[in-house]
Amino acid sequence: MKLYRFLTGDDNSAFCHKVTAALNDGWALHGDPTYAFDGANGVMRCGQAVTKEAAGRYDPDKRLKDQ
């Protein structure tokens, strides 16, 4: 099965660590990152889609990172 996640976070090192952890856990970058200003909170936000091939069947009751 193919799994998809969209990682989001503030534009800081914690977001980069989140993406790096996903890559080291077998996820692959999918498309370009996104970058937008969150006017309500006055911060920049980042997003990055990642995908992963995994054995078994998709279970919507499990967290994607645990499948």
Side-chain angles (χ1 to χ4, degrees):
M1 81 178 134
K2 186 167 208 146
L3 301 171
Y4 171 91
R5 291 171 64 195
F6 188 69
L7 306 173
T8 61
D10 291 348
D11 179 22
N12 58 30
S13 63
F15 176 75
C16 294
H17 287 286
K18 183 187 293 189
V19 174
T20 299
L23 294 173
N24 282 287
D25 198 30
W27 295 84
L29 298 176
H30 181 79
D32 294 329
T34 60
Y35 195 63
F37 182 69
D38 176 352
N41 295 298
V43 297
M44 294 301 292
R45 306 263 186 209
C46 299
Q48 176 64 58
V50 293
T51 60
K52 181 179 183 179
E53 291 290 336
R57 296 186 54 82
Y58 170 68
D59 182 349
D61 295 324
K62 280 181 150 179
R63 293 176 12 168
L64 286 171
K65 67 183 255 175
D66 295 332
Q67 293 199 51

